[in-house]
Amino acid sequence: EAEVAQSPRYKITEKSQAVAFWCDPISGHATLYWYRQILGQGPELLVQFQDESVVDDSQLPKDRFSAERLKGVDSTLKIQPAELGDSAMYLCASSRKQSSGANVLTFGAGSRLTVL
Amino acid sequence: AQKITQTQPGMFVQEKEAVTLDCTYDTSDPSYGLFWYKQPSSGEMIFLIYQGSYDQQNATEGRYSLNFQKARKSANLVISASQLGDSAMYFCAMREGDTGRRALTFGSGTRLQVQP
């Protein structure tokens, strides 16, 4: 089965530096999500795209985070400048409808960020 | 208020026994979906099972079943015949509304350890 591709898998950066994560959803999946998961917690939504449009970015810290999905396919999440509290797993997901009718999120392997 | 509550930070179970992971939810929307995901130490979120709010029967997927008690707003995951490979974090999640495109809200997770 096709997968959601994410890169880099691991990223170590110093605070104040810029960092970017890339996601390529499953082909044909119009809805794309970026989640942040702090160690020991559940994932929290940062931004949701429908095609190239932002549907929900209410939890995105817009002073330092930005996200784009210019052609409605792959997406980039950027942090500038990175802060110590940004250390987390950044998960990308896209959704598809199952035979049961449920719209299931399929996640990528994630990008683990460590800010020093 | 928390939309998804998982009260068990950690659970132990003996191999081959059944285990129940608790999840309660809070919503005023009559249409919603409940999901369970497994997250091994590798980090990827793996979809396990889905229950729609209007589904009359409890969902089952192989060794996984969802004990859905609508009046109590609970959606407990039951894993039968536990295997060593079941050791992982388990997250309960909810999607409100009937469009199928809203993001999922996740609980804080339960760490399950299967002992030989």
Side-chain angles (χ1 to χ4, degrees), chain A residues 41-104:
Chain A
Q41 300 181 18
E44 294 181 324
L45 179 72
L46 289 174
V47 62
Q48 177 184 345
F49 289 92
Q50 182 65 31
D51 299 309
E52 68 276 8
S53 300
V54 173
V55 173
D56 183 357
D57 64 355
S58 57
Q59 300 303 310
L60 189 71
K62 298 181 187 65
D63 56 335
R64 297 184 301 107
F65 285 65
S66 65
E68 60 184 17
R69 193 183 183 198
L70 294 176
K71 297 183 179 179
V73 180
D74 59 338
S75 176
T76 302
L77 177 70
K78 296 178 181 177
I79 308 174
Q80 183 173 16
E83 295 181 354
L84 296 177
D86 296 332
S87 294
M89 175 79 88
Y90 290 84
L91 293 161
C92 180
S94 63
S95 64
R96 61 177 174 86
K97 189 165 260 189
Q98 280 201 318
S99 55
S100 64
N103 228 334
V104 174

Side-chain angles (χ1 to χ4, degrees), chain A residues 33 35 45 48 56 105, chain B residues 94-96 101-105:
Chain A
Y33 311 81
Y35 280 83
L45 179 72
Q48 177 184 345
D56 183 357
L105 266 64
Chain B
M94 176 175 65
R95 171 188 284 128
E96 296 172 284
R101 290 180 178 169
R102 289 191 194 178
L104 301 188
T105 301

Side-chain angles (χ1 to χ4, degrees), chain B:
Chain B
Q2 291 289 325
K3 287 186 176 286
I4 295 288
T5 302
Q6 295 182 254
T7 58
Q8 306 154 313
M11 290 281 287
F12 288 91
V13 66
Q14 290 293 125
E15 195 177 7
K16 300 180 185 178
E17 293 187 349
V19 63
T20 298
L21 306 183
D22 295 342
C23 173
T24 58
Y25 59 92
D26 183 25
T27 181
S28 57
D29 199 318
S31 181
Y32 53 89
L34 298 157
F35 301 75
W36 277 92
Y37 280 82
K38 172 184 178 181
Q39 188 177 42
S41 57
S42 58
E44 185 172 355
M45 299 283 282
I46 301 168
F47 167 72
L48 296 178
I49 196 166
Y50 165 82
Q51 179 86 43
S53 59
Y54 296 117
D55 293 343
Q56 295 296 312
Q57 293 187 323
N58 287 344
T60 59
E61 288 286 349
R63 294 188 299 110
Y64 304 109
S65 60
L66 201 153
N67 184 0
F68 181 44
Q69 298 188 42
K70 196 169 183 177
R72 297 178 63 181
K73 292 190 174 180
S74 74
N76 299 339
L77 177 70
V78 180
I79 305 175
S80 63
S82 297
Q83 301 172 356
L84 295 178
D86 293 335
S87 293
M89 285 290 292
Y90 288 81
F91 291 95
C92 180
M94 176 175 65
R95 171 188 284 128
E96 296 172 284
D98 57 5
T99 65
R101 290 180 178 169
R102 289 191 194 178
L104 301 188
T105 301
F106 287 83
S108 57
T110 296
R111 179 172 299 281
L112 176 67
Q113 291 184 266
V114 181
Q115 297 175 320

